[in-house]
Amino acid sequence: MGFLRDHQQWRGSLKNVFDILKKRGFIEQTTDDEAVRLLFDRPVTCYVGFDPTASSLHVGSLIPIMSLAHMQRQGHRPIALVGGGTGLVGDPSGKTELRQMLTLEDVKENAEGIRKQLAAFINFEEGALLVNNADWLTELNYIRFLREIGRHFSVNRMLAAESYKMRMQTGLNFIEFNYMLLQAYDFLHMYEKYACKLQMGGSDQWGNILAGVDLIRRAGQGTAQGMTFPLITASTGAKMGKTAQGAVWLDASRTSAYDYYQFWINTDDADVVRFLLLFTFLPIDEIEAVRDIEGADLNAAKTILAIEATRLAHGKKEALKAFEAASGMFGKRSIDPELLPGSKIPRSITLNVQNLHHGHHLDHVHLAEKCDPSLVPTTVVEPDRLKEGIPAFKLFHEVGLCASGGAARRLIQQGGGYVNGERLEMFDYKVTYNNVNKEKMIILRAGKKQFHCVKVT
C-alpha cells in the first residue's frame, strides 16, 4: 500500500521537544520562541496547572497532559500542579459569571481523583512531580503577601487582561480579582523551590502566565518563560471533549472505556491526522504518511487512533476489550501492517457477528453474548416497566444514546434508531417484553456505531 512514503526529513530530526510540540500542533504562542527553544537544549523543569473543579479531568484537558508527557519522554521534568488553593478562589478566565465556590473537602477529593488520572500519562516514579498549591497558598499572611507580592502589580494592567475585561461587563468579584496574583505567585514559588522556568497552559491563561513571568523578573529572581496551547475544536466547530451526551471524562466511572473508545472512533475524517499528532505518541513521519488516505484505510486509522488514545487513558487491557467489543458489534476488522506500524495493536480480529456497515441483518442473539457490561454500556430495567411498554424515544434518551427526548425523536424519524437490529419506523414505538431475547437483553442502536444493551432483571 505504500503508506511509508519518503518522510526522512522528520525521522530523527526533531530532538528538541519545542520542535516536537510545534510540529504536532501543541503551541499557540510563547513569550519568546527562540528563548523557549533554547531552554530545552538541556533538562528543564516546567509545569501546568489543573483546576480541581471536578473529580475527573475530561478530553479537553488532554493537550496539557500530553505536553507534560512529551516533556518527560524527552528527558525534562514535568510538574502537574493541582490548584487546591486557587480552586478555593475560582479562575475568572473564560467565564461570564462567578464560578461555584468549592469547599476545602471538595477540592481535596477532586485533587485525588485528578492525581490518579494524571498517573496514567506521567510517571511520578521517574522524576515527574505532583504538587498542590493549597500547601503554600492557604498558609499565606495576607498583609505580608500584599507588601511583598501585591506591590509588583499594576491594577491598570490587570484590568487590561482579557480574562478581566470580559468579567468587567457582568461584574468582577474581588475574590476573583486576586486570582492573577495567586497564579503568578505559584510560578514564583515553583521557580524558587523547583527551578521551574516554564509555565504552560491553555490560551485563556496567557494573561496569568505573563503575570507570573513578570513577577519573577520584578522580584529579582531571574528570567522565566511561558507557553500556551491552542483551543482544540473538531472540524465541525464543536468544542473538544463535548458530545451530545455531555463531557467525555477520563474517569472510567463517568465515561466507560468503551464509550471513550467510541468517542475516538467517531472522529471526523478531517480530524484524524491532527488528532493522531496530538493525542498519540506514534511517530510524526508515520502519521504524515497517511495524510491522504481515505475510505476503508481511513477508518482503519481511526481504529488505531481509538485504541492508542484509550490505551493511554485506561490501559492496554481495557483498550483491547473496547476494540473487541466494537468488533463484535461490527464484525471482522483487518488493518494493514504498514498502516501506522508504530502502533502494536492487533491487525485483525474475526468474530461470528455479521457486519452492520453493509446493512446485513443483525443476529442479536450473538450480539447479546457480546453485551458484557464491562465492555458495552448497559442499563438494567425492571420487567414491570415493559408490560405497558416504554416509548422508544424515551428509552433512547433514558439510556444516554440521545441527549434529549427531542433528539431521540429526530434520530428515529430520520431512520437512525434500531431495536435488536430492526429499524424503528415510529419514534413512539413501544418497547415491550416481546423485544427481550433469550439472553434477557434488548439491543439498542443509534446510527451506525452507538450501541446500548438493556438488561431485563
XYZ file of all heavy atoms in Angstrom, residues 69-107:
287
model
N 3.623 14.837 29.216
C 4.147 13.509 28.906
C 5.272 13.594 27.876
O 6.283 12.889 27.982
C 3.020 12.614 28.395
N 5.116 14.464 26.868
C 6.193 14.666 25.886
C 7.442 15.206 26.578
O 8.570 14.802 26.242
C 5.749 15.635 24.795
C 4.959 15.003 23.695
N 5.505 14.101 22.803
C 3.656 15.137 23.345
C 4.572 13.719 21.946
N 3.440 14.326 22.247
N 7.264 16.119 27.514
C 8.412 16.668 28.248
C 9.189 15.556 28.940
O 10.419 15.480 28.848
C 7.929 17.691 29.294
C 7.299 18.937 28.720
S 8.481 19.945 27.819
C 7.395 21.242 27.222
N 8.468 14.690 29.632
C 9.138 13.619 30.361
C 9.839 12.655 29.409
O 10.961 12.214 29.670
C 8.140 12.863 31.232
C 8.801 11.827 32.132
C 7.840 11.257 33.159
O 6.705 10.927 32.842
N 8.291 11.150 34.404
N 9.203 12.342 28.288
C 9.792 11.429 27.319
C 11.080 11.987 26.715
O 11.921 11.218 26.249
C 8.789 11.132 26.202
C 7.702 10.156 26.618
C 6.564 10.101 25.596
N 5.674 8.989 25.904
C 5.541 7.899 25.163
N 6.239 7.770 24.041
N 4.725 6.923 25.511
N 11.227 13.295 26.693
C 12.428 13.916 26.133
C 13.446 14.297 27.205
O 14.372 15.078 26.949
C 12.031 15.156 25.317
C 11.150 14.841 24.113
C 11.807 13.879 23.146
O 12.985 14.019 22.818
N 11.057 12.887 22.676
N 13.263 13.791 28.424
C 14.272 13.970 29.460
C 14.110 15.187 30.339
O 15.019 15.514 31.118
N 12.966 15.875 30.255
C 12.736 17.041 31.096
C 11.870 16.651 32.292
O 11.315 15.549 32.348
C 12.074 18.152 30.273
C 12.863 18.527 29.058
N 14.051 19.222 29.127
C 12.660 18.253 27.742
C 14.529 19.386 27.900
N 13.702 18.809 27.045
N 11.755 17.563 33.260
C 10.974 17.253 34.457
C 9.635 17.988 34.418
O 9.586 19.209 34.558
C 11.736 17.634 35.729
C 10.917 17.336 36.993
C 11.717 17.468 38.270
N 12.117 18.835 38.546
C 12.533 19.265 39.738
N 12.622 18.410 40.760
N 12.902 20.509 39.916
N 8.530 17.253 34.252
C 7.215 17.888 34.269
C 6.641 17.941 35.681
O 6.824 17.014 36.478
C 6.379 16.970 33.378
C 6.970 15.615 33.600
C 8.445 15.825 33.884
N 5.964 19.026 35.971
C 5.254 19.148 37.245
C 3.790 19.432 36.944
O 3.458 20.352 36.195
C 5.825 20.278 38.123
C 7.307 20.027 38.436
C 5.025 20.397 39.418
C 7.936 21.100 39.307
N 2.922 18.631 37.509
C 1.478 18.873 37.424
C 1.060 19.539 38.721
O 1.239 18.983 39.806
C 0.730 17.562 37.223
N 0.553 20.746 38.609
C 0.116 21.490 39.785
C -1.401 21.425 39.877
O -2.108 21.861 38.970
C 0.582 22.951 39.696
C 0.267 23.861 40.880
C 1.326 24.960 41.009
C -1.110 24.525 40.761
N -1.885 20.842 40.939
C -3.328 20.818 41.185
C -3.678 22.064 41.987
O -3.092 22.318 43.040
C -3.739 19.543 41.943
C -5.223 19.580 42.282
C -3.416 18.315 41.109
N -4.619 22.832 41.465
C -4.947 24.121 42.088
C -5.849 23.999 43.287
O -6.960 24.569 43.300
N -5.399 23.297 44.314
C -6.202 23.162 45.522
C -6.426 24.477 46.234
O -7.470 24.683 46.874
N -5.450 25.392 46.126
C -5.589 26.711 46.749
C -6.344 27.672 45.853
O -7.322 28.307 46.276
N -5.916 27.794 44.592
C -6.600 28.696 43.662
C -8.021 28.212 43.375
O -8.906 29.014 43.044
C -5.818 28.811 42.340
O -5.366 27.511 41.940
C -4.615 29.717 42.502
N -8.255 26.907 43.512
C -9.609 26.383 43.317
C -10.581 26.890 44.360
O -11.795 26.903 44.135
N -10.078 27.316 45.504
C -10.931 27.900 46.539
C -11.340 29.325 46.188
O -12.276 29.875 46.773
C -10.207 27.891 47.887
C -9.868 26.519 48.460
C -8.978 26.650 49.693
C -11.148 25.760 48.814
N -10.626 29.914 45.214
C -10.910 31.292 44.787
C -11.741 31.289 43.511
O -12.770 31.951 43.411
C -9.590 32.070 44.563
C -9.867 33.443 43.965
C -8.841 32.195 45.883
N -11.311 30.527 42.504
C -12.035 30.462 41.231
C -11.403 31.332 40.176
O -11.213 32.534 40.371
N -11.064 30.716 39.058
C -10.439 31.423 37.940
C -11.511 32.098 37.093
O -12.405 31.423 36.577
C -9.653 30.420 37.089
C -8.910 31.073 35.934
O -8.958 32.310 35.824
O -8.281 30.335 35.151
N -11.448 33.431 36.918
C -12.456 34.110 36.086
C -12.219 33.933 34.590
O -13.068 34.315 33.776
C -12.292 35.580 36.488
C -10.845 35.701 36.865
C -10.491 34.380 37.518
N -11.074 33.376 34.186
C -10.729 33.263 32.771
C -11.781 32.479 32.003
O -12.137 31.358 32.379
C -9.367 32.573 32.602
O -8.362 33.277 33.297
N -12.278 33.083 30.931
C -13.223 32.412 30.056
C -14.619 32.259 30.628
O -15.469 31.583 30.047
N -14.897 32.899 31.780
C -16.197 32.767 32.411
C -16.915 34.117 32.427
O -16.292 35.167 32.572
C -16.059 32.255 33.854
C -15.430 30.863 33.953
C -16.314 29.821 33.313
C -15.692 28.434 33.388
N -16.527 27.411 32.738
N -18.236 34.052 32.278
C -19.028 35.282 32.299
C -19.682 35.509 33.655
O -20.325 36.531 33.866
C -20.118 35.223 31.216
O -20.938 34.072 31.445
C -19.501 35.151 29.832
N -19.519 34.563 34.554
C -20.084 34.729 35.885
C -19.199 34.027 36.907
O -18.316 33.238 36.552
C -21.507 34.160 35.949
C -21.592 32.700 35.576
C -23.024 32.183 35.508
O -23.929 32.998 35.306
O -23.211 30.966 35.666
N -19.455 34.316 38.174
C -18.646 33.757 39.261
C -18.766 32.242 39.289
O -19.859 31.684 39.199
C -19.115 34.327 40.614
C -18.386 33.854 41.871
C -16.941 34.329 41.862
C -19.112 34.345 43.127
N -17.610 31.558 39.374
C -17.634 30.102 39.485
C -18.232 29.681 40.816
O -18.170 30.420 41.799
C -16.201 29.545 39.383
C -15.578 29.655 38.001
C -14.158 29.151 38.039
N -13.471 29.328 36.778
C -13.141 28.341 35.958
N -13.455 27.110 36.277
N -12.505 28.584 34.833
N -18.770 28.477 40.844
C -19.293 27.945 42.088
C -18.153 27.778 43.090
O -17.096 27.235 42.774
C -19.968 26.595 41.840
C -20.559 25.969 43.088
C -21.212 24.628 42.790
O -21.278 24.211 41.636
N -21.671 23.949 43.823
N -18.383 28.247 44.305
C -17.349 28.165 45.336
C -17.262 26.729 45.866
O -18.260 26.102 46.190
C -17.675 29.121 46.493
C -17.731 30.580 46.079
S -16.108 31.215 45.590
C -15.329 31.340 47.195
N -16.050 26.209 45.947
C -15.819 24.856 46.426
C -15.367 24.876 47.882
O -14.731 25.832 48.335
C -14.742 24.170 45.581
C -15.044 23.986 44.086
C -13.815 23.432 43.377
C -16.227 23.068 43.879
N -15.683 23.816 48.596
C -15.177 23.686 49.957
C -13.795 23.046 49.900
O -13.397 22.454 48.890
C -16.097 22.800 50.808
O -16.058 21.460 50.294
C -17.530 23.309 50.764
N -13.049 23.144 50.987
C -11.724 22.534 51.058
C -11.821 21.025 50.880
O -10.966 20.408 50.241
C -11.061 22.869 52.400
C -9.592 22.461 52.559
C -8.737 23.110 51.474
C -9.082 22.833 53.952
N -12.904 20.425 51.415
C -13.098 18.983 51.283
C -13.344 18.605 49.817
O -12.820 17.596 49.320
C -14.283 18.525 52.145
C -14.029 18.573 53.645
C -13.959 20.001 54.188
O -14.583 20.902 53.560
O -13.275 20.215 55.197
N -14.141 19.421 49.108
C -14.391 19.178 47.679
C -13.079 19.180 46.903
O -12.823 18.305 46.072
C -15.310 20.255 47.101
C -16.736 20.150 47.609
O -17.146 19.044 47.995
O -17.430 21.182 47.617
N -12.264 20.198 47.183
C -11.008 20.364 46.451
C -10.075 19.182 46.712
O -9.447 18.655 45.790
C -10.334 21.693 46.831
C -8.912 21.753 46.295
C -11.142 22.866 46.300
